[in-house]
Amino acid sequence: MDDTGRVQIYYGDGRGKSTAALGYALQAASAGRNVFVIHFLKGRMTTESAFMQRLEPEIKVFHFEKTDQRYESLSEQEKLEENRNLKNGVNFARKVLMNDECSLLILDELLGVIDNGVVTREEVEALFQAKAEETQIIITGRSLPDYMKEYADAVYEIRLEKGCG
């Protein structure tokens, strides 16, 4: 199935959302497509980033956070500072879409950025307005605002049914 131009969302409390998105990234890159991955709310992910950088130039990976800590463990003051960096990441994503720089854009944990009130609905809608028709977007996160469903071609809820996740 050709996913060109589709918007897919992976959300829920289960594990594997980012892994599924990165699987798509590997498939797209092996098919010669230009892939960008922007991680949010995961700290700088130094170990994972070192590995992911070996996939460049086929898969370009970006982090805008300055701290090594996960967002939820930051103090309120640190979150305010980090919110500027996260907004820069969202603005970068919009510019990538406007300039038609990639065929697949993965916005890993963008739903968490929305859930934490870092970006507004209008800022998220600006992302979709900047998307070229053939550009595929994959978005991950835990909770899905209802308005996001109208932008999605496919929504997958990932949840633990049995086990210890």
Side-chain angles (χ1 to χ4, degrees):
M1 181 164 127
D2 183 15
D3 291 322
T4 303
R6 291 174 47 106
V7 174
Q8 295 174 301
I9 298 175
Y10 293 90
Y11 83 100
D13 289 331
R15 299 177 61 124
K17 300 174 293 287
S18 299
T19 304
L22 293 175
Y24 266 95
L26 291 172
Q27 286 179 324
S30 68
R33 296 176 63 200
N34 194 13
V35 179
F36 280 49
V37 177
I38 302 175
H39 291 287
F40 298 100
L41 301 179
K42 294 185 174 186
R44 289 190 300 176
M45 298 173 50
T46 52
T47 304
E48 292 89 343
S49 292
F51 175 78
M52 292 293 290
Q53 286 176 348
R54 289 187 282 177
L55 300 175
E56 291 188 3
E58 288 81 7
I59 299 176
K60 295 165 188 69
V61 180
F62 301 91
H63 303 270
F64 288 84
E65 293 169 271
K66 302 298 183 210
T67 181
D68 289 329
Q69 297 177 30
R70 293 183 67 89
Y71 187 83
E72 57 271 2
S73 65
L74 299 175
S75 70
E76 288 305 310
Q77 180 60 38
E78 291 169 323
K79 284 181 182 178
L80 287 174
E81 294 170 17
E82 204 63 81
N83 287 351
R84 284 191 294 274
N85 300 324
L86 295 168
K87 276 187 172 275
N88 286 339
V90 173
N91 289 331
F92 175 74
R94 189 173 45 77
K95 289 176 187 171
V96 165
L97 291 169
M98 287 174 54
N99 294 328
D100 200 21
E101 292 183 46
C102 67
S103 52
L104 170 59
L105 174 62
I106 296 175
L107 301 170
D108 189 26
E109 288 298 334
L110 177 66
L111 296 177
V113 173
I114 295 167
D115 194 42
N116 282 294
V118 177
V119 293
T120 65
R121 179 178 180 161
E122 291 76 23
E123 290 168 312
V124 173
E125 289 172 345
L127 275 175
F128 292 104
Q129 291 167 355
K131 175 189 164 311
E133 187 175 320
E134 64 278 354
T135 303
Q136 180 183 4
I137 298 176
I138 298 177
I139 298 168
T140 69
R142 289 197 176 271
S143 62
L144 179 65
D146 285 336
Y147 75 87
M148 289 292 290
K149 292 178 185 176
E150 68 189 64
Y151 295 108
D153 297 296
V155 176
Y156 301 91
E157 181 180 6
I158 310 298
R159 60 186 173 83
L160 178 66
E161 191 168 304
K162 181 180 178 181
C164 55

